[in-house]
Amino acid sequence: KVMNRKLLALTMLLLVFVVNDAMSQTVVVNEVLASNSAVNVDEDGSYEDWVELYNTGTNPVNLNGYGLTDNSNNLFKWVFPDVTINPGSYLLIYCSDKNKTNPAEPLYANFKISADGEVISLTRPDGTVVDFAPATPMASNISFGRMPNGTGSFTLFDTPTPGAENIGSVFSETLQAPIFSQNSGFYTSEFDLTISSSEADVTIKIGR
């Protein structure tokens, strides 16, 4: 009977682990903003980069001990406090050097996101990656998120939606700024101005 009780306890423990593991699969990296200058401000009134998580499942998931990172060699660059994300809910993590982990207040990771593009990973306490946003360059106030919301592949959005469903116009990439043959300024004599692009297959049109 003692052996049967131990076997039952071990079975229950494994069952809890499997259930928790399956539940954690429902949390995804849903949207990333790497260059925020006009989208939303934090409680200090400053514009910060951010990562948005979304729970696609029907059960709450506790993220205590999970890691968030922009460095694949350091999956626990920032570690979540005892915070729970409810089903159908969003969790916004600001990415700045403020590094705040009070679960009752807005969360801040200890790193900023490069607008040149880098992988953002969410990792379980056991070191396995739950989900990630692939590296992609982002222009100012352009976000990178899933479409359809929570389940689709990543695309760029011209209207970021922190803490809300991903909607709006989408496009596959942003282009580098055109190159002008002369710097901006005031000139007293005429000159020929040329405009070019470092991008392939780009047509430059001049508006009137």
Side-chain angles (χ1 to χ4, degrees):
K1 290 183 178 179
V2 173
M3 182 62 69
N4 287 341
R5 289 196 188 97
K6 289 183 177 179
L7 182 60
L8 178 61
L10 179 60
T11 301
M12 293 299 294
L13 181 62
L14 289 173
L15 180 60
V16 169
F17 176 79
V18 171
V19 170
N20 284 340
D21 184 67
M23 286 168 55
S24 68
Q25 293 278 4
T26 67
V27 178
V28 299
V29 178
N30 196 50
E31 190 176 9
V32 176
L33 184 65
S35 182
N36 181 9
S37 64
V39 175
N40 64 316
V41 296
D42 65 6
E43 76 275 16
D44 299 323
S46 59
Y47 293 95
E48 304 289 356
D49 306 341
W50 47 259
V51 174
E52 177 195 81
L53 303 184
Y54 176 61
N55 185 353
T56 65
T58 57
N59 295 294
V61 176
N62 187 278
L63 297 175
N64 189 29
Y66 278 63
L68 188 70
T69 187
D70 62 347
N71 183 350
S72 60
N73 295 319
N74 182 7
L75 295 178
F76 295 93
K77 189 172 186 178
W78 185 76
V79 179
F80 282 83
D82 187 6
V83 61
T84 296
I85 179 169
N86 290 317
S89 295
Y90 302 87
L91 179 64
L92 201 68
I93 302 96
Y94 290 105
C95 295
S96 73
D97 53 7
K98 296 180 182 179
N99 189 24
K100 298 180 181 180
T101 57
N102 184 340
E105 298 178 355
L107 299 176
Y108 289 80
N110 56 354
F111 61 88
K112 295 184 178 182
I113 306 170
S114 172
D116 292 333
E118 53 188 3
V119 177
I120 303 298
S121 301
L122 175 68
T123 306
R124 295 189 191 91
D126 66 3
T128 57
V129 175
V130 178
D131 194 33
F132 68 93
T136 190
M138 278 175 266
S140 182
N141 304 314
I142 298 294
S143 68
F144 190 51
R146 293 184 180 277
M147 178 59 81
N149 183 71
T151 59
S153 57
F154 279 86
T155 188
L156 293 163
F157 290 90
D158 64 354
T159 305
T161 55
E165 180 181 359
N166 293 341
I167 57 174
S169 301
V170 301
F171 41 95
S172 59
E173 62 179 337
T174 57
L175 301 178
Q176 296 294 325
I179 302 168
F180 291 81
S181 62
Q182 295 285 341
N183 294 326
S184 60
F186 295 96
Y187 295 87
T188 58
S189 58
E190 295 181 354
F191 59 86
D192 292 328
L193 176 67
T194 60
I195 306 174
S196 59
S197 175
S198 60
E199 305 277 357
D201 301 321
V202 168
T203 300
I204 297 175
K205 296 183 177 181
I206 307 300
R208 290 175 180 253

